[in-house]
């Protein structure tokens, strides 16, 4: 579906890169680092011991129910009830993703709805085969909105579309995606519903029950809109956190004047994470994720294999964009953003890595452990005053480190 990893894998990459810095820096302050590590290990041991005690105390009373809950989806319904609920869902599935959602997506991608919003630049990077830029906006009482543009050199729009929609192949290269299952397809309008489980370090796995639909527009331009939904085959389970709010979509188009294509994406998600921590994790880990995705795309292109089962998907049931939704603003926006990325002199990932190798910081281990501690607090869902103060301290320290690093790079 092309949406996974926007927050989750960024968090994973951020943690991984922070711990990698531990091993690269041979001049750090060991006393301070090991003391911080010891405290965090004590916290982790306490949390796991508490969970272990609760597990053994409840195992005798819940053994029969846990065995039945592990039988996924269909076993939770009687045959009559399952047939009734699925028949009822057949009449509603065509209403989940509508043309109004496509209109909403196009307006966001063309940035027609954000004239009075202050967007913040998050990252802007490129290498020989890839360019990526992203910005975000925090609405009042709503999840953060992200807009990103990724340009892939030497790639066709059909390959990029199939790559983004191949969920079976995604499980091979995106290690946060541990399970995906197609639940239903509406052959009349091409709406597809699926359930995906994503797992992150130290966090309860997230469950995504989503519906998506594809359209083809002018000049081989493709659109996809994805949103959360409910389905009778997706039974809620206590071992997963069901994502309640999800709005995401993209437009794939050819870059004028050269052998390249691009995908512009709108994303808004509430996965139950602290907004500031999620934003920080995204900014630190998204470039690593995009580079990994690019490597997987190149392997996918070389193999030239078709979509793996099932045979009937939203890709095979693509609809045409209704007349009047695409405007000249869409074409102009596509050309302008492509030219903007191509003309900017941006640091490559390799250059950034060399900078870190040349100038190791004595506080790298502290920042990595602070981020790890923040994730532990978030995974436990603490709401006490002490936890809030600790989390505020963690975010403040990380912001200061980012600001100082930015000033040093400017010099």
């Amino acid at each position: 579906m092309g949406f996974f990893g926007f927050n989750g894998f960024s968090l994973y990459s951020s943690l991984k890169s922070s711990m990698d810095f531990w091993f690269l820096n041979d001049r750090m302050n060991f006393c301070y680092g090991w003391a911080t590590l010891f405290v965090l290990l004590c916290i982790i041991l306490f949390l796991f011991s508490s969970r272990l005690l609760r597990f053994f105390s409840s195992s005798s009373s819940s053994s029969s129910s846990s065995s039945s809950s592990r039988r996924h989806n269909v076993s939770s319904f009687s045959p009559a009830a399952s047939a009734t609920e699925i028949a009822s869902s057949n009449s509603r599935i065509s209403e989940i993703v509508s043309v109004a959602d496509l209109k909403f997506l196009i307006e966001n991608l063309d940035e027609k709805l954000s004239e009075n919003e202050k967007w913040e630049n998050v990252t802007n990077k490129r290498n020989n085969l890839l360019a990526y830029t992203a910005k975000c906006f925090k609405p009042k009482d709503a999840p953060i909105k992200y807009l990103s543009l990724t340009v892939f050199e030497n790639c066709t729009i059909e390959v990029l579309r199939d790559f983004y929609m191949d969920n079976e192949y995604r499980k091979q290269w995106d290690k946060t995606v541990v399970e995906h299952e197609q639940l239903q397809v509406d052959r009349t309008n091409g709406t597809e519903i699926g359930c995906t489980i994503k797992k992150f370090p130290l966090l309860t796995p997230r469950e995504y029950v989503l519906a998506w639909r594809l359209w083809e527009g002018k000049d081989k331009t493709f659109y996809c809109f994805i949103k959360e939904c409910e389905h009778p085959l997706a039974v809620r389970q206590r071992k997963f956190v069901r994502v309640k709010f999800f709005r995401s979509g993209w437009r794939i188009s050819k870059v004028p004047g050269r052998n390249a294509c691009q995908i512009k994406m709108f994303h808004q998600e509430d996965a139950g994470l602290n907004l500031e921590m999620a934003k920080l994790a995204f900014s630190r880990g998204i470039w690593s994720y995009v580079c990994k995705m690019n490597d997987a795309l190149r392997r996918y292109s070389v193999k030239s294999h078709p979509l793996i089962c099932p045979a009937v998907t939203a890709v095979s049931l693509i609809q045409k964009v209704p007349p009047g939704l695409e405007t000249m603003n869409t074409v102009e926006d596509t050309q302008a953003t492509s030219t903007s990325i191509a003309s900017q002199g941006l640091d490559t990932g390799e250059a950034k890595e060399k900078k870190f190798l040349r100038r190791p910081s004595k506080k790298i281990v502290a920042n990595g452990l602070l981020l790890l501690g923040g994730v532990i607090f978030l995974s436990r869902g603490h709401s006490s005053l002490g936890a809030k103060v600790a989390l505020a301290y963690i975010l403040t320290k990380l912001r200061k480190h980012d600001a100082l690093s930015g000033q040093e790079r400017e010099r």
Side-chain angles (χ1 to χ4, degrees):
M1 278 162 286
F3 59 88
F4 298 111
F6 233 82
N7 288 325
F9 194 90
S10 301
L11 180 61
Y12 173 84
S13 301
S14 180
L15 281 171
K16 186 177 184 300
S17 61
S18 297
M19 297 310 295
D20 287 342
F21 290 148
W22 170 291
F23 298 99
L24 291 175
N25 187 3
D26 57 351
R27 295 180 294 177
M28 56 184 62
N29 190 332
F30 286 100
C31 295
Y32 175 73
W34 284 108
T36 308
L37 177 62
F38 177 76
V39 173
L40 288 175
L41 286 176
C42 291
I43 295 174
I44 295 174
L45 289 175
F46 173 76
L47 296 177
F48 276 110
S49 62
S50 300
R51 177 175 292 184
L52 197 61
L53 288 174
R54 288 197 300 271
F55 171 77
F56 282 114
S57 64
S58 60
S59 59
S60 58
S61 61
S62 61
S63 58
S64 60
S65 62
S66 62
S67 61
S68 62
S69 66
R70 281 191 291 267
R71 293 194 296 265
H72 192 58
N73 293 341
V74 180
S75 62
S76 303
F77 297 94
S78 65
S82 178
T84 302
E85 295 191 25
I86 293 176
S88 176
S89 67
N90 282 332
S91 62
R92 298 192 305 266
I93 184 175
S94 60
E95 304 172 1
I96 297 177
V97 182
S98 64
V99 175
D101 291 316
L102 175 61
K103 183 176 183 294
F104 168 80
L105 173 63
I106 293 177
E107 289 176 343
N108 276 275
L109 294 177
D110 293 343
E111 303 184 42
K112 294 181 179 179
L113 301 180
S114 58
E115 294 179 354
N116 298 324
E117 299 173 349
K118 290 185 178 181
W119 287 75
E120 176 185 349
N121 292 327
V122 177
T123 186
N124 206 335
K125 298 185 180 298
R126 66 178 292 117
N127 57 33
N128 293 334
L129 294 174
L130 180 69
Y132 180 81
T133 181
K135 58 183 180 179
C136 68
F137 168 72
K138 175 61 180 72
K140 186 177 181 181
D141 302 325
I144 298 178
K145 293 181 180 181
Y146 289 95
L147 273 176
S148 69
L149 181 69
T150 312
V151 179
F152 298 93
E153 301 292 338
N154 303 324
C155 180
T156 65
I157 54 179
E158 290 84 5
V159 169
L160 185 60
R161 178 203 63 195
D162 292 345
F163 169 77
Y164 260 78
M165 300 305 299
D166 196 333
N167 294 297
E168 294 301 321
Y169 182 65
R170 182 175 292 275
K171 289 191 293 185
Q172 300 178 24
W173 66 268
D174 189 344
K175 299 308 179 183
T176 65
V177 179
V178 296
E179 184 179 347
H180 175 79
E181 181 180 4
Q182 184 192 78
L183 299 179
Q184 192 173 355
V185 178
D186 184 355
R187 295 174 179 264
T188 60
N189 71 350
T191 301
E192 183 177 356
I193 297 179
C195 179
T196 302
I197 307 299
K198 299 176 64 180
K199 188 175 182 180
F200 313 114
L202 305 175
L203 297 178
T204 304
R206 264 50 180 176
E207 181 183 39
Y208 295 80
V209 181
L210 303 171
W212 58 94
R213 186 176 169 188
L214 272 74
W215 292 267
E216 181 179 350
K218 300 175 182 177
D219 301 323
K220 287 285 186 177
T221 299
F222 295 101
Y223 295 87
C224 178
F225 187 76
I226 313 152
K227 65 194 299 186
E228 83 288 343
C229 68
E230 296 293 333
H231 196 276
L233 293 182
V235 184
R236 289 183 179 268
Q237 302 182 62
R238 296 182 61 184
K239 59 183 178 180
F240 302 136
V241 174
R242 177 74 62 89
V243 175
K244 299 179 180 179
F245 182 88
F246 192 96
R247 296 288 189 277
S248 185
W250 45 254
R251 175 175 61 216
I252 293 177
S253 57
K254 182 173 176 57
V255 176
R258 66 180 196 267
N259 182 24
C261 60
Q262 61 186 1
I263 177 168
K264 188 170 185 180
M265 178 178 289
F266 166 82
H267 187 88
Q268 191 175 20
E269 171 188 351
D270 184 2
L273 298 175
N274 176 275
L275 293 180
E276 291 298 322
M277 183 64 74
K279 180 180 175 182
L280 181 65
F282 176 84
S283 63
R284 285 177 167 238
I286 189 60
W287 175 244
S288 173
Y289 173 77
V290 172
C291 290
K292 185 175 182 180
M293 179 177 64
N294 179 66
D295 294 338
L297 172 64
R298 305 303 169 178
R299 295 192 299 269
Y300 189 84
S301 178
V302 170
K303 292 180 180 179
S304 299
H305 55 274
L307 287 170
I308 308 175
C309 62
V312 180
T313 65
V315 176
S316 61
L317 299 171
I318 294 179
Q319 307 289 298
K320 290 292 184 179
V321 174
L325 282 187
E326 287 185 298
T327 63
M328 288 300 297
N329 292 335
T330 299
V331 178
E332 292 173 359
D333 173 76
T334 298
Q335 295 177 349
T337 50
S338 303
T339 305
S340 176
I341 286 185
S343 62
Q344 291 179 1
L346 305 173
D347 292 335
T348 64
E350 296 178 356
K352 185 177 180 182
E353 183 179 355
K354 290 179 180 179
K355 284 186 178 181
F356 278 112
L357 290 175
R358 287 197 303 266
R359 303 182 62 183
S361 171
K362 293 182 179 180
K363 294 185 179 180
I364 288 175
V365 61
N367 289 322
L369 294 175
L370 284 172
L371 181 60
L372 179 61
V375 173
I376 294 173
F377 274 117
L378 293 175
S379 65
R380 300 299 300 172
H382 290 296
S383 59
S384 63
L385 178 61
K388 292 179 179 179
V389 172
L391 184 57
Y393 171 76
I394 291 169
L395 294 173
T396 302
K397 293 288 288 182
L398 289 172
R399 285 198 201 96
K400 286 183 179 180
H401 174 73
D402 287 342
L404 291 175
S405 299
Q407 291 177 1
E408 290 178 358
R409 285 193 294 268
E410 290 177 359
R411 293 173 186 172

